[in-house]
Amino acid sequence: MTGSRTAATIDAARAEGRAALVVYLPVGYPDVDGSIAAARAAVEAGADIVELGLPYSDPGMDGAVNQEAMQAALAGGTRTADVLRAVREVAETGAPTLVMTYYNPVLRYGVDRFATDLVAAGGAGLITPDLIPDEAGEWIAAADAHDLDKVFLVAPSSTTERLHLTTAASRGFVYAASTMGVTGARASVGPKAEALVAATRAAGAERVCVGLGVSTGAQAAEVASYADGVIVGSALVRTLIRSDGDRDAALEDLRRLIGELAEGVRSGRPVTSGGPAR
Amino acid sequence: MTDFRDAVGPYFGDFGGRFVPEALIAALDDLATAWDKLKDDPTFIERLAALHRDYTGRPSPITEVPRFAEHAGGVRVFLKREDLNHTGSHKINNVLGQALLTQQVGKTRVIAETGAGQHGVATATAAALFGLDCTIYMGEEDTRRQALNVARMRLLGAEVIPVTAGSRTLKDAINEAFRDWVANVETTNYVFGTAAGPHPFPALVRDLQKIIGEEAREQLTERIGRLPDAVVACVGGGSNAIGIFTAFLDDADVRLIGCEAAGDGVETGRHAATIGAGSPGVLHGAKTYLLQDEDGQTIESHSISAGLDYPGVGPEHSWLASIGRAEYRPVTDAEAMEAFRLLTRTEGIMPAIESAHALAGAMTLGRELVAAGADPAETVLLVSLSGRGDKDVETAAEWFGLVDSGSAGGQDEGGSTTA
């Protein structure tokens, strides 16, 4: 069994004295090729790890921006097979590429078949917002067999017992939801996020990335001061939503925001720290 | 026979579970723990019993309907009259219990989803009674179909939020309610409306609805000295059905028949026959039968009844179907509306269109049994009349062409008025 490339990327960032920048973009928005172009542009502009969203009809964990993008992707005919193609083309950049997906599309595709095809496409693993380790036996077995990352979520409401359970089940990193809520940009990242990261580390997690609500370089810097990675999603999706349909301008806006966020994760920690504060 | 009645979840066979964001697990655990304690607490049992008696009007009677039964092969048909409950349906049984549970877990606000509006009205009613803040999510499409129920909820003090995402119907209202719950779980309890969703909701709602079957079992035994040959109920999410089935689950000789909405016909693809035409997957927090395409995307359901227009079903029904303990049959819009007309005309009881699906199922079953040689006088069907038809008058009037073409909302047939 080889090590997790996602974990290695986070460790490399840590060696540079910074947090990793993890970006989320839904496949199929504005269309499949457009989403691939956006994800590749994000890597060029400074993203370390990519999460590709598999569009789903009932995304209960997502706020309005991501849900609208998913609905548009489905209306445009995006299929699970398109997501695997997107993984292949984005993974070519060298950035670890994870799929963020609700469980039913994976179950329907066949859990082991999905794992097999994800590996073949060069994908790193799955992030599963509606799948807790307690229910994930089939996925955990497939991921372990195929050397894939299993990114489970913890929340401010997680008990110590559940932090241990989730940390033990995770591979790559543990996704700390900064706030009790759904995806979407917020004026401030939840005050509970820092404590949650500390508690998750205390439960044994080696790498904890924080998502939900991060949209600016300043917020990225704040989160980077205590987390191993900063996850940004809907703020990026928003740059792609343009009434004039000008895709070049959208990609330019996306690159600019990624640049700001990449700078944020680099300014979050004093350079002298020389590594993670534990 | 196995003790089916004691199934408590989180799994019913291969179905059930908790496929939800981690953020909700603590709240679901709290709810499950609180309910485990509360359901056997004599004080709670007495409070709920008093509410049922003094507020809801329980026990609801059973009514034999011989004139209607002539259309069911002449067998004996008894209706369990949940339509006579306060607020007009079985939904009140569930919400009164969950409102007490909300107080027990120390929360001050309730949220709920609603399709036809019955569960929303019941929740708003309980919130008014208990002084709880109340927000109801309802698909925008359904707020149009059920405008009067929206007004009722607002009069009761609830905030009604039309959901514009997705198909703008019940399934999207559920998504939106879950989002609200994730964000506000410290103060808010989600009063789930049917025996679906993540554990503990399927078992919790079943526990609160099983009074339907327990009363009916006792009433019927007293009336005719034996159990019915079959129990028939409509199934959307399936709370009234599981409520009336539970008391008979361990009686192997009693057939249990769930009637799913077949809309324009299962073969047309425009239906809500989840068990009959769906497949196992995960929706709204549970592994269960659902309508889905080959990528696992939820397919929108269709039914003339907003209350049955749901692409999922409670996991206990999926289990009962998979082991053959209950049968699930499709009933089209047309069959349901014919049963609606017949019960109204022959007995002076106007059923909810949901319940009319069960009546249509009973008509078919009665004829089948008689054709197979059963003695009509010795054949007894018990039907859950889950709600009354007041909310459906407009839909029915339109279906039967009773709306004056010249009245408001009538169509301009001339087509020549545009300049």
Side-chain angles (χ1 to χ4, degrees):
Chain A
M1 188 182 264
T2 55
S4 160
R5 280 178 290 142
T6 310
T9 300
I10 292 170
D11 292 348
R14 182 187 287 164
E16 291 176 22
R18 66 176 179 93
L21 177 60
V22 185
V23 301
Y24 164 89
L25 289 165
V27 174
Y29 189 79
D31 54 31
V32 176
D33 288 334
S35 62
I36 293 170
R40 292 178 68 111
V43 176
E44 280 168 25
D48 298 299
I49 295 166
V50 178
E51 295 177 11
L52 292 177
L54 194 157
Y56 178 52
S57 52
D58 295 271
M61 183 77 194
D62 279 287
V65 170
N66 286 354
Q67 184 177 19
E68 277 169 30
M70 280 189 183
Q71 274 180 244
L74 289 174
T78 305
R79 306 285 309 270
T80 300
D82 296 317
V83 175
L84 291 165
R85 172 165 76 89
V87 168
R88 186 181 301 280
E89 296 192 24
V90 175
E92 280 171 2
T93 61
T97 303
L98 299 139
V99 173
M100 179 146 181
T101 180
Y102 291 85
Y103 192 45
N104 197 50
V106 177
L107 200 57
R108 185 68 170 170
Y109 194 89
V111 177
D112 197 68
R113 179 178 163 227
F114 195 97
T116 303
D117 290 357
L118 185 61
V119 169
L126 293 186
I127 304 173
T128 47
D130 67 342
L131 186 66
I132 55 175
D134 323 46
E135 306 283 3
E138 200 180 350
W139 158 237
I140 288 172
D144 291 348
H146 293 280
D147 239 0
L148 287 166
D149 289 334
K150 303 161 285 184
V151 178
F152 292 105
L153 279 70
V154 293
S157 60
S158 299
T159 60
T160 305
E161 186 191 357
R162 292 201 59 80
L163 292 177
H164 277 97
L165 170 81
T166 307
T167 293
S170 295
R171 181 179 191 261
F173 61 92
V174 177
Y175 188 129
S178 68
T179 180
M180 296 296 284
V182 294
T183 61
R186 287 179 179 78
S188 68
V189 180
K192 293 172 177 166
E194 186 169 1
L196 176 59
V197 171
T200 307
R201 285 202 178 116
E206 290 177 41
R207 297 163 199 88
V208 185
C209 300
V210 170
L212 300 196
V214 183
S215 62
T216 66
Q219 287 174 330
E222 181 199 333
V223 172
S225 70
Y226 57 80
D228 301 300
V230 180
I231 305 168
V232 185
S234 65
L236 302 176
V237 176
R238 206 184 286 275
T239 64
L240 302 178
I241 300 176
R242 287 182 72 96
S243 52
D244 62 8
D246 185 339
R247 294 200 179 180
D248 291 340
L251 285 185
E252 214 31 64
D253 288 347
L254 177 74
R255 283 197 187 90
R256 195 176 308 122
L257 179 54
I258 300 265
E260 183 192 323
L261 294 162
E263 204 168 298
V265 298
R266 282 165 176 80
S267 63
R269 282 182 204 164
V271 178
T272 50
S273 73
R278 286 283 161 83
Chain B
M1 186 179 274
T2 326
D3 286 341
F4 291 119
R5 294 183 58 175
D6 294 334
V8 291
Y11 280 94
F12 301 93
D14 291 334
F15 303 97
R18 297 190 300 183
F19 296 84
V20 295
E22 168 68 20
L24 287 177
I25 296 298
L28 291 170
D29 276 345
D30 283 354
L31 215 50
T33 306
W35 181 239
D36 263 354
K37 253 192 284 181
L38 205 60
K39 68 181 179 187
D40 298 320
D41 175 352
T43 311
F44 168 78
I45 292 169
E46 177 44 39
R47 281 188 72 190
L48 188 58
L51 283 166
H52 282 331
R53 184 181 64 236
D54 305 332
Y55 191 73
T56 305
R58 299 204 75 92
S60 65
I62 54 169
T63 304
E64 184 165 13
V65 284
R67 276 167 43 76
F68 173 79
E70 287 172 18
H71 302 274
V75 303
R76 298 186 73 182
V77 176
F78 290 84
L79 307 181
K80 178 60 174 169
R81 302 292 305 279
E82 295 300 297
D83 61 314
L84 296 178
N85 293 343
H86 180 48
T87 74
S89 78
H90 68 293
K91 297 291 188 185
I92 193 79
N93 306 330
N94 174 37
V95 300
L96 290 175
Q98 289 206 48
L100 287 175
L101 181 58
T102 301
Q103 287 188 325
Q104 184 69 25
V105 293
K107 294 178 180 177
T108 56
R109 174 176 179 257
V110 289
I111 55 172
E113 84 295 342
T114 197
Q118 294 292 76
H119 176 57
V121 167
T123 305
T125 299
L129 179 66
F130 285 86
L132 300 164
D133 291 330
C134 180
T135 301
I136 305 292
Y137 291 94
M138 191 169 184
E140 192 187 42
E141 180 64 26
D142 291 334
T143 62
R144 270 198 293 271
R145 290 197 277 193
Q146 299 289 344
L148 267 180
N149 271 339
V150 173
R152 288 169 77 188
M153 289 181 259
R154 289 181 172 147
L155 288 167
L156 287 159
E159 183 185 5
V160 179
I161 300 182
V163 175
T164 56
S167 59
R168 301 170 188 231
T169 58
L170 178 59
K171 88 173 173 69
D172 306 287
I174 293 176
N175 291 334
E176 212 56 43
F178 271 119
R179 291 190 180 100
D180 182 317
W181 203 29
V182 175
N184 299 296
V185 71
E186 280 177 22
T187 59
T188 300
N189 191 30
Y190 185 1
V191 177
F192 206 73
T194 191
H199 177 73
F201 288 120
L204 166 60
V205 175
R206 185 268 325 270
D207 288 347
L208 290 167
Q209 292 293 6
K210 69 183 182 185
I211 190 169
I212 303 172
E214 286 171 351
E215 281 180 6
R217 195 175 195 277
E218 196 179 315
Q219 289 165 320
L220 201 59
T221 306
E222 193 173 307
R223 183 86 67 90
I224 64 169
R226 68 175 182 92
L227 298 178
D229 296 289
V231 178
V232 187
C234 64
V235 177
S239 71
N240 92 92
I242 206 69
I244 197 163
F245 286 176
T246 296
F248 300 95
L249 276 177
D250 296 333
D251 301 307
D253 294 340
V254 178
R255 285 175 72 179
L256 305 175
I257 314 272
C259 298
E260 298 194 300
D264 295 346
V266 170
E267 70 290 348
T268 67
R270 288 178 52 82
H271 62 82
T274 307
I275 291 176
S279 53
V282 167
L283 179 65
H284 293 147
K287 190 178 275 189
T288 192
Y289 274 81
L290 65 136
L291 302 180
Q292 58 183 328
D293 70 13
E294 55 185 13
D295 275 357
Q297 309 291 347
T298 311
I299 294 173
E300 286 174 30
S301 55
H302 292 277
S303 168
I304 191 170
S305 161
L308 301 181
D309 199 351
Y310 179 55
V313 66
E316 193 170 357
H317 287 294
S318 294
W319 175 55
L320 295 175
S322 71
I323 59 174
R325 177 62 191 97
E327 307 158 50
Y328 295 83
R329 298 176 162 205
V331 172
T332 62
D333 287 354
E335 292 168 327
M337 294 312 291
E338 175 60 6
F340 175 99
R341 187 184 73 81
L342 282 172
L343 187 73
T344 306
R345 289 293 182 89
T346 59
E347 303 284 349
I349 299 171
M350 192 178 296
I353 295 176
E354 289 87 338
S355 316
H357 285 72
L359 293 163
M363 285 166 61
T364 306
L365 179 66
R367 289 173 188 156
E368 274 175 22
L369 293 172
V370 173
D375 176 356
E378 292 300 320
T379 303
V380 177
L381 306 185
L382 172 65
V383 180
S384 174
L385 202 74
S386 57
R388 61 180 172 242
D390 304 31
K391 68 183 171 57
D392 295 320
V393 167
E394 202 177 316
T395 305
E398 198 177 314
W399 177 271
F400 293 113
L402 306 176
V403 182
D404 276 349
S405 58
S407 68
Q411 292 190 340
D412 173 13
E413 292 172 355
S416 58
T417 52
T418 45

